[in-house]
Amino acid sequence: MVSPAIALAFLPLLITLLIRYRYYFVLLYRAVLVRWVQDLLTGLSREERAFQYILTHSIPGDPQSILDTFDHWCSKVEFISNIGPKKGKILDRLLEEIRPLTVLELGTHCGYSTVRIARSLPLGARLYSIEMHEKNAQIAEKIIRLAGFDDDTVELVVSPSDEVIPRLREDYGVEHLDFVFMDHWKRCYLPDLQLLEGSGLLGEGSVVLADNVVFPGAPNFLRYVRNSGLYELRLHRASLEYIRGIRDGMAELVHRGVK
Amino acid sequence: VKNERNPKAKERDTKRKLEIHKTTEQKTENKKRKRSHSKQRGKRNIDDEDKGGEQISKQKKNRKNKKTKKLLTEEAEGEGYITKQKKKRRPQVDEENANATKQMTPEGPPKKKKRAKVQVESSSESEDSSSEKESSEEEEWKVTALTPEELEKLKEAVDEKKKLITILRGKPWPMLKKLQTLKESHDFLEKFEGALGKGKAKKLYAYKVMMLKALMGKPYGSMPRKTVPRAEQASAMDFAVLWDFGVREASASFLQNPHLNPNGLFCQLKSWNQSFLLKGYAKYSVLFYGYYNSQRAIGWLKFRMPLSYFLVGVGTVAYSYMVVIRTMARNANEQGGGDDTNFNFSWKMFTSWDYLIGNPETADNKFASITTSFKEAIVEEQESRKDDNIHLTRFFRVLANFLVLCCLAGSGYLIYFVVRRSQKFALEGLENYGWWERNEVNMVMSLLGMFCPMLFDVISNLENYHPRIALQWQLGRIFALFLGNLYTFIIALMDEINLKEEETVKLNMTVWMANLHNGTLAENSTAPPITADPADVPRGPCWETMVGQEFVRLIISDTMTTYITLLIGDFLRAVMVRFFNYCWCWDLEYGFPSYSEFDVSGNVLGLIFNQGMIWMGAFYAPCLPALNVLRLHVSMYLQCWAVMCCNVPQERVFKASGSNNFYMAMLLVILFLSTLPAIYTIVSIPPSFDCGPFSGKNRMFDVIQETLEMDFPAWFGKVFSYASNPGLVLPFLLLMVLAIYYLQSTSKTYKKANAELKKKLQAVSSEAISLYCPDCFNIVFKGERGQNQHVTTCTRQSAAVKRQCGPADLHNPSTRPPPAQRNPATHGYLPGNPHQPSLRMQRTSSLKLQ
């Protein structure tokens, strides 16, 4: 039988762990517990609740207002792992620099990043957004249309990314991708990048932006990119969306072109 | 391969032209082609070469070897060839194969020609002849089956590749080529190291590689991220366990020799308290005070045991003081009176890079850390100029200290509580309690020593100090904790001494009386006066031995917990991180568990604390230093391995060495505090009557008097007694204090003069630079702190004015204008300027992290 004094000696450890990983506990609470409780209470999915909120609180046709409402909902009400305002600024800046004409987005989720990208695209550009989940895609579609982007600008593809990418050239007539934004399953980053390489859609100057490479993290992806020599890698260090204390980063890959 | 994607031959031609490693023959060939309108032929050649490279790479190689001559001869062929080339390609290639001069390896089955190989070859095409040879070797490996000799060769090739990777950095090649070669070599290694592991006979090799990976991991320098070992804090095992197993048998021989202690302590002990003995025989070994006896002179050399015991015990302490003080004085001399905060940015700029970094990821992280340190320095500079929410900061600091005090008090109370409980247990007899209760004190001390520093670390985040100062606070707090624990422990020990002694003495007296009574009855004599030598009265275990035992116990439990934390906290964690990282949903290496950091300062503190324990216990356990040396050596090797295998460098690295007076001062303090109880016991507590070299004496230092009386002539004793007269000692002490005061004031003056001279020297040198090379001056000194700024303004004036104003201002830095008044437009990069740092930061952050 362990004496109470020895158990008490573990108290500092407990407090230390609580303090040091408080952000992770907050994340756990907001992303898992609150979601679970709300799911039970409302009978709606998290995405549907977000959509309801946006429908009632934002101005239709105004992307900025929709994004702001989204941010507010994610930071104050519940949690959805969108790209968030801070990393979103990096994304905006990159898009300003590149002015891409053909953009591929992997992982639409609720359409936050889709709206964000579509907002800063030049005239005549086209965004292909891929979402695997049927329900999420429906909501994303509604949000995208709410923001005022039509089928010509944003094309939502409901299918797993590894099925869509090889068919992009035939079915969608894509010859070359200027910009690829990855925010789907972290495990799929690497196979999808390799698929993109294999299908020859990436050329010199193509930019691939991968979100959440530090937390939750995509180590294999980074390792591959570093060793492949095909890309110039640049890590944008930031914090996790809507939670300040967790470090995260976005990886920007610039294709060097085939020599 | 890739060229095939572009259908137009012209593009290919231009690409061809752009190739970096074009040989001169190729150049002339290109020119010729252009001139003689045989462009089509040239295109055909390249096209053919590319496709050949894709499908049958060896032929391409052959052709490459033959190079341009052949191309030129082929140009003679007709133009219509191009249209048919696709059909013709195969025979043509065969023909070339026949022409090949030295390629003897047979053509392998087509399935072996993988994409990677083609890439390797196409890139190696542009290399010089030496690497071409290598790539031809590669080809051999790929094509042929693996016979034993070839396996040997393959191994050689793998080794060669490894060597190439290591020396690649030093090769005088362009970066692009280096990258290519590196990639090639990595591919080769990846492919063939696996192949080596596949064969049946090679299982051992694969196993070896795996074990190497698991045990040795990546070398320390290549591990991504940060620098330093978990402090040597204790946690769970105990010496009692060691006693319960091997040690008892090993040291049983000590017990079989009753004359080891002429007073017959062992025999008596054995007779009246068997159970006590069974706890462990090492308790009465040469390790401890009780082993030595009070025989005044031993052997024909007349070795004075008690005297030497005393002198060695006291002399060790005195020598330790001397060494520590001398080291501190030397450091103080070397450091001089410089201000470390000067040239902060220059230091960061020119000395940040670590040229021993040999791994791209580490370099990456070093780069990032330098960037962050710059950012931090800039922010710090800004903060030091702002000071608007100083009240909040102060509040947080007070709060943090309050929390730390609470923590210290809590841990002190817990130890006190545990000690009280242990006394209760001791009174009731330890045999009735389990392992947990018996080792409660040690366990609690170890656990607190391990976890409280972590808590302090977390609390200190609140304070927002500069990292260097924060570290000192942190170390100070840990120090206070350790010391508090140690002192509580000592006090507990003292209490236990009284408790046990009383008990045992009582018991012994009754036993002895009973024996005596029996004896007198048997002899049946009429009341002869019982004259018993007091030494024959059994007094039980002496407290000195017990103190020594407690310290050995402490050291051993400390060592055990160090090793266990090392194995569990570092090694198991590293293994887990390393292997689970392949199949986990987040990045374990960068994210939550990560590798443990090697904490230099914590380790140094552990060493200091350990040294303190040794000093404290050495008098009562004379072999403790030897034990400690053994332990330190073992843990050095163990930790060396652990650091290389499963630690990462700390995020913030601070110098912790013998030349740092901060640590030396700590050592001095702990030396003082640890010798205090030892000296106190020596001077004020009478030694055990029946145990140890001082048995029978009133105080331990009586040995000296005894020696003076018996071994020296009478006049010497007289002189000594005069010299130790307070009337003589006090004036002498007074004189010493005065001398110290005088010397200190003179050294202060010298120091001041030195600092002045330094400043003058600095001023003169900067003036010289500005005289002869104003541009260099601007480059070197712009952006430094106020004084240089001032000189810059001086350079704009005439030379005569400059001579007057430069040094004059440098003499008294207090007259510097506040830096906030500086004009950012004219003075380049200023740390205090809010606009410019942001610009810089943007640039550094957008630099390539490769």
Side-chain angles (χ1 to χ4, degrees):
Chain A
M1 175 59 203
V2 179
S3 70
I6 293 175
L8 263 180
F10 280 95
L11 194 67
L13 177 71
L14 200 70
I15 298 172
T16 312
L17 290 180
L18 269 179
I19 295 177
R20 182 168 291 166
Y21 299 113
R22 58 192 185 278
Y23 294 114
Y24 294 91
F25 290 116
V26 169
L27 181 66
L28 182 80
Y29 168 74
R30 291 190 52 197
V32 179
L33 291 182
V34 172
R35 177 188 182 178
W36 183 65
V37 168
Q38 289 287 330
D39 278 358
L40 283 184
L41 284 181
T42 59
L44 296 171
S45 77
R46 186 172 57 152
E47 289 78 15
E48 284 165 335
R49 290 195 297 275
F51 175 66
Q52 281 185 353
Y53 185 87
I54 284 156
L55 206 59
T56 48
H57 288 78
S58 67
I59 306 163
D62 181 5
Q64 185 60 47
S65 153
I66 286 175
L67 292 182
D68 288 345
T69 320
F70 232 127
D71 287 336
H72 185 262
W73 190 80
C74 290
S75 53
K76 293 282 168 359
V77 188
E78 272 184 66
F79 182 85
I80 282 186
S81 65
N82 291 318
I83 184 173
K86 278 184 184 162
K87 285 193 283 186
K89 284 216 175 86
I90 301 175
L91 177 65
D92 289 350
R93 205 193 71 208
L94 272 176
L95 287 169
E96 287 286 311
E97 282 173 12
I98 301 165
R99 316 287 294 169
L101 285 176
T102 322
V103 179
L104 175 68
E105 188 199 14
L106 302 174
T108 315
H109 201 61
C110 288
Y112 178 91
S113 47
T114 316
V115 171
R116 192 134 207 155
I117 295 172
R119 188 180 64 150
S120 33
L121 284 183
L123 212 62
R126 199 164 162 77
L127 166 63
Y128 298 91
S129 190
I130 297 176
E131 172 60 45
M132 192 177 75
H133 213 273
E134 184 73 39
K135 276 190 169 178
N136 288 351
Q138 283 173 4
I139 288 160
E141 172 112 33
K142 286 181 208 162
I143 286 178
I144 293 163
R145 301 293 170 248
L146 192 72
F149 298 110
D150 55 5
D151 257 343
D152 291 338
T153 319
V154 179
E155 177 151 358
L156 194 65
V157 185
V158 188
S159 180
S161 57
D162 51 342
E163 287 177 17
V164 177
I165 292 169
R167 291 190 290 115
L168 271 179
R169 197 186 282 268
E170 293 90 47
D171 292 7
Y172 301 94
V174 180
E175 281 298 323
H176 179 261
L177 288 169
D178 297 315
F179 188 84
V180 179
F181 179 66
M182 291 185 174
D183 194 10
H184 53 316
W185 289 110
K186 316 307 163 202
R187 202 155 281 281
C188 298
Y189 281 9
L190 179 58
D192 284 352
L193 183 73
Q194 283 166 338
L195 269 181
L196 283 171
E197 282 171 8
S199 58
L201 290 168
L202 297 178
E204 190 170 354
S206 294
V207 176
V208 179
L209 187 70
D211 190 20
N212 300 112
V213 290
V214 176
F215 182 88
N220 292 331
F221 174 75
L222 285 184
R223 204 169 297 138
Y224 170 76
V225 167
R226 280 204 177 92
N227 293 334
S228 76
L230 268 178
Y231 308 93
E232 274 178 44
L233 173 69
R234 195 189 289 172
L235 266 183
H236 298 278
R237 283 158 209 266
S239 62
L240 192 70
E241 51 271 1
Y242 310 122
I243 288 185
R244 210 161 24 84
I246 302 177
R247 280 184 301 165
D248 190 15
M250 295 207 293
E252 181 197 343
L253 282 51
V254 183
H255 201 279
R256 283 203 178 106
V258 181
K259 274 158 207 147
Chain B
V1 183
K2 294 139 193 168
N3 286 349
E4 218 179 14
R5 242 177 246 147
N6 309 330
K8 285 176 186 172
K10 199 159 193 178
E11 274 184 46
R12 233 173 285 138
D13 210 355
T14 48
K15 266 194 180 171
R16 178 83 181 184
K17 275 183 216 160
L18 285 172
E19 268 188 7
I20 301 165
H21 303 287
K22 230 188 289 175
T23 56
T24 48
E25 289 103 318
Q26 278 170 330
K27 270 182 200 166
T28 51
E29 182 202 341
N30 271 347
K31 279 175 200 165
K32 251 186 206 168
R33 256 188 254 155
K34 273 179 201 164
R35 251 184 274 132
S36 61
H37 296 282
S38 58
K39 237 181 188 172
Q40 301 288 340
R41 290 285 344 128
K43 265 178 252 159
R44 197 216 35 100
N45 279 331
I46 298 157
D47 197 9
D48 200 1
E49 200 174 294
D50 287 330
K51 282 171 184 166
E54 183 202 4
Q55 291 192 351
I56 318 156
S57 48
K58 193 161 318 90
Q59 277 64 40
K60 189 185 63 187
K61 182 60 52 186
N62 297 343
R63 212 150 35 128
K64 184 72 202 163
N65 288 339
K66 298 183 90 183
K67 279 193 182 161
T68 52
K69 247 190 177 176
K70 195 170 172 196
L71 291 176
L72 287 172
T73 53
E74 273 176 4
E75 273 179 25
E77 291 180 42
E79 214 179 356
Y81 187 86
I82 308 155
T83 49
K84 290 174 190 172
Q85 70 166 296
K86 288 215 168 165
K87 291 165 200 165
K88 266 195 174 182
R89 197 177 23 180
R90 177 62 68 167
Q92 217 248 327
V93 152
D94 285 341
E95 177 198 303
E96 280 172 5
N97 196 20
N99 285 342
T101 48
K102 54 177 178 176
Q103 289 290 332
M104 51 289 177
T105 49
E107 201 179 313
K111 62 166 184 174
K112 279 206 171 183
K113 283 159 191 162
K114 285 171 190 165
R115 220 190 108 131
K117 178 179 136 200
V118 176
Q119 273 182 351
V120 164
E121 290 210 355
S122 59
S123 56
S124 71
E125 219 179 346
S126 55
E127 283 174 22
D128 57 17
S129 58
S130 69
S131 52
E132 227 167 74
K133 247 185 242 163
E134 276 172 19
S135 56
S136 68
E137 272 174 20
E138 270 168 45
E139 214 170 320
E140 268 178 61
W141 306 133
K142 269 165 228 167
V143 174
T144 53
L146 294 177
T147 61
E149 307 97 73
E150 278 164 345
L151 262 179
E152 278 304 309
K153 279 185 187 172
L154 184 55
K155 262 186 203 167
E156 263 175 40
V158 165
D159 286 342
E160 207 170 299
K161 284 282 168 199
K162 277 182 183 166
K163 214 190 282 173
L164 183 69
I165 289 174
T166 53
I167 59 168
L168 190 68
R169 197 175 304 276
K171 295 242 169 171
W173 295 343
M175 194 40 115
L176 209 68
K177 189 179 161 185
K178 276 188 193 174
L179 283 176
Q180 266 175 348
T181 320
L182 188 69
K183 199 186 151 228
E184 260 168 50
S185 312
H186 273 308
D187 284 349
F188 184 82
L189 284 183
E190 225 165 80
K191 198 167 175 187
F192 288 105
E193 278 201 316
L196 277 175
K198 259 177 218 162
K200 255 187 184 175
K202 299 301 158 205
K203 260 183 186 169
L204 193 71
Y205 179 76
Y207 178 72
K208 208 178 100 188
V209 169
M210 203 199 74
M211 283 314 287
L212 213 65
K213 265 186 184 164
L215 281 177
M216 301 315 294
K218 307 164 188 174
Y220 181 71
S222 77
M223 215 171 268
R225 232 155 59 94
K226 313 157 226 176
T227 317
V228 203
R230 205 88 303 196
E232 288 168 281
Q233 298 140 357
S235 92
M237 283 292 277
D238 195 77
F239 196 21
V241 180
L242 203 65
W243 277 342
D244 285 346
F245 300 110
V247 184
R248 187 192 303 164
E249 279 76 23
S251 54
S253 57
F254 281 118
L255 196 86
Q256 309 310 323
N257 276 336
H259 27 246
L260 275 181
N261 192 329
N263 287 357
L265 180 68
F266 277 157
C267 296
Q268 285 166 8
L269 281 172
K270 204 174 186 179
S271 63
W272 61 259
N273 198 346
Q274 193 77 28
S275 67
F276 189 67
L277 267 180
L278 282 179
K279 277 188 186 171
Y281 298 147
K283 281 184 163 185
Y284 303 103
S285 68
V286 71
L287 259 177
F288 302 110
Y289 179 90
Y291 172 80
Y292 306 91
N293 64 17
S294 60
Q295 199 177 354
R296 221 180 69 76
I298 299 173
W300 58 274
L301 266 177
K302 301 226 179 288
F303 177 65
R304 265 86 179 165
M305 234 296 295
L307 179 70
S308 63
Y309 193 101
F310 183 79
L311 287 184
V312 165
V314 175
T316 315
V317 172
Y319 180 73
S320 304
Y321 271 109
M322 221 169 66
V323 167
V324 172
I325 297 272
R326 274 188 52 153
T327 316
M328 281 182 78
R330 202 179 53 227
N331 291 340
N333 278 342
E334 277 168 9
Q335 275 166 5
D339 185 5
D340 283 347
T341 53
N342 267 347
F343 305 112
N344 193 5
F345 288 92
S346 281
W347 285 123
K348 279 210 169 63
M349 174 74 91
F350 295 114
T351 61
S352 298
W353 192 253
D354 181 358
Y355 289 92
L356 289 176
I357 291 174
N359 171 290
E361 256 178 272
T362 320
D364 214 20
N365 291 305
K366 183 72 187 168
F367 177 83
S369 85
I370 293 172
T371 320
T372 11
S373 82
F374 256 107
K375 279 181 197 171
E376 273 169 8
I378 291 162
V379 169
E380 199 184 306
E381 196 74 32
Q382 282 172 337
E383 294 269 312
S384 67
R385 277 147 218 268
K386 256 195 289 178
D387 283 351
D388 46 2
N389 54 359
I390 186 72
H391 294 299
L392 190 69
T393 320
R394 264 183 205 154
F395 169 72
F396 276 133
R397 283 173 189 179
V398 170
L399 183 71
N401 278 315
F402 175 71
L403 288 177
V404 167
L405 273 183
C406 284
C407 189
L408 283 177
S411 80
Y413 181 74
L414 192 62
I415 289 177
Y416 174 76
F417 173 75
V418 170
V419 165
R420 287 290 296 274
R421 260 166 69 101
S422 84
Q423 281 172 1
K424 200 184 78 193
F425 294 152
L427 270 177
E428 291 170 12
L430 273 178
E431 293 77 21
N432 307 331
Y433 291 92
W435 190 85
W436 290 104
E437 275 84 6
R438 261 186 284 151
N439 297 291
E440 208 177 44
V441 179
N442 282 331
M443 283 277 288
V444 167
M445 270 184 72
S446 306
L447 288 175
L448 285 177
M450 189 161 65
F451 297 140
C452 281
M454 287 157 77
L455 187 58
F456 292 163
D457 195 25
V458 166
I459 289 174
S460 69
N461 285 337
L462 209 64
E463 291 178 310
N464 204 15
Y465 274 126
H466 182 278
R468 207 182 308 120
I469 300 165
L471 181 80
Q472 293 190 352
W473 273 96
Q474 165 78 359
L475 290 184
R477 281 165 190 162
I478 296 174
F479 189 73
L481 178 82
F482 281 178
L483 218 66
N485 289 354
L486 201 62
Y487 261 74
T488 325
F489 173 75
I490 291 289
I491 290 163
L493 221 59
M494 296 289 176
D495 279 358
E496 231 167 334
I497 289 168
N498 300 333
L499 195 88
K500 278 185 182 165
E501 209 173 22
E502 272 175 2
E503 206 183 356
T504 48
V505 165
K506 260 182 230 160
L507 182 72
N508 297 346
M509 287 308 281
T510 48
V511 171
W512 181 68
M513 287 299 279
N515 282 339
L516 209 63
H517 205 65
N518 290 340
T520 50
L521 273 178
E523 292 202 5
N524 204 11
S525 58
T526 51
I530 302 167
T531 51
D533 189 324
D536 290 342
V537 180
R539 297 289 295 263
C542 50
W543 61 267
E544 289 97 337
T545 305
M546 207 195 72
V547 171
Q549 281 164 5
E550 287 299 324
F551 274 102
V552 172
R553 204 180 239 262
L554 207 64
I555 291 281
I556 292 200
S557 83
D558 200 36
T559 317
M560 289 293 183
T561 47
T562 310
Y563 294 165
I564 284 170
T565 29
L566 212 76
L567 281 182
I568 292 175
D570 291 357
F571 178 65
L572 283 187
R573 182 170 158 188
V575 166
M576 206 195 79
V577 164
R578 199 170 291 141
F579 285 109
F580 280 90
N581 203 22
Y582 293 106
C583 50
W584 204 257
C585 51
W586 69 76
D587 192 348
L588 292 172
E589 283 183 359
Y590 283 84
F592 161 50
S594 180
Y595 296 108
S596 50
E597 288 182 4
F598 184 81
D599 166 30
V600 176
S601 52
N603 270 295
V604 172
L605 206 67
L607 281 179
I608 291 174
F609 178 63
N610 182 52
Q611 188 58 46
M613 283 200 302
I614 299 304
W615 274 323
M616 225 182 229
F619 193 78
Y620 299 116
C623 288
L624 199 60
L627 206 68
N628 195 43
V629 165
L630 207 73
R631 167 243 159 112
L632 287 181
H633 270 94
V634 173
S635 66
M636 179 179 78
Y637 286 112
L638 196 70
Q639 280 199 332
C640 186
W641 161 77
V643 165
M644 299 309 272
C645 155
C646 36
N647 280 123
V648 285
Q650 218 177 13
E651 256 173 319
R652 313 174 304 211
V653 186
F654 295 99
K655 210 173 92 182
S657 69
S659 64
N660 195 337
N661 257 359
F662 177 72
Y663 294 97
M664 292 311 281
M666 219 162 236
L667 194 63
L668 188 68
V669 171
I670 204 156
L671 175 57
F672 175 72
L673 289 175
S674 61
T675 47
L676 205 61
I679 299 285
Y680 173 77
T681 49
I682 289 172
V683 172
S684 65
I685 299 181
S688 303
F689 184 76
D690 198 16
C691 162
F694 311 111
S695 51
K697 294 192 178 59
N698 198 20
R699 291 279 184 269
M700 286 178 190
F701 54 83
D702 285 347
V703 186
I704 294 178
Q705 254 171 4
E706 192 191 71
T707 314
L708 282 175
E709 281 166 18
M710 301 178 72
D711 292 341
F712 285 94
W715 60 267
F716 194 84
K718 228 173 226 176
V719 169
F720 193 81
S721 67
Y722 282 138
S724 59
N725 192 341
L728 221 68
V729 170
L730 278 181
F732 185 69
L733 277 180
L734 206 66
L735 189 72
M736 263 169 67
V737 167
L738 289 178
I740 288 172
Y741 177 74
Y742 171 73
L743 286 176
Q744 210 222 345
S745 60
T746 26
S747 79
K748 230 179 209 170
T749 331
Y750 287 146
K751 211 177 200 175
K752 226 180 201 172
N754 255 344
E756 288 289 309
L757 278 175
K758 223 178 227 173
K759 271 179 196 165
K760 265 181 200 166
L761 215 65
Q762 216 172 12
V764 168
S765 66
S766 58
E767 199 185 350
I769 293 174
S770 68
L771 261 179
Y772 295 116
C773 173
D775 289 338
C776 318
F777 180 81
N778 280 349
I779 291 161
V780 173
F781 286 99
K782 232 188 226 178
E784 277 309 337
R785 294 213 171 173
Q787 49 185 33
N788 302 314
Q789 192 54 49
H790 222 62
V791 182
T792 336
T793 54
C794 293
T795 54
R796 301 214 164 80
Q797 300 163 11
S798 70
V801 179
K802 190 190 319 164
R803 269 198 202 105
Q804 285 168 358
C805 95
D809 272 333
L810 286 167
H811 272 285
N812 40 352
S814 57
T815 59
R816 291 178 207 163
Q821 296 172 0
R822 290 188 228 150
N823 182 3
T826 52
H827 296 310
Y829 169 48
L830 297 178
N833 184 5
H835 303 294
Q836 258 168 329
S838 63
L839 257 179
R840 296 257 158 172
M841 276 154 65
Q842 219 173 25
R843 254 192 68 192
T844 45
S845 68
S846 66
L847 276 174
K848 190 184 71 170
L849 288 172
Q850 180 76 18

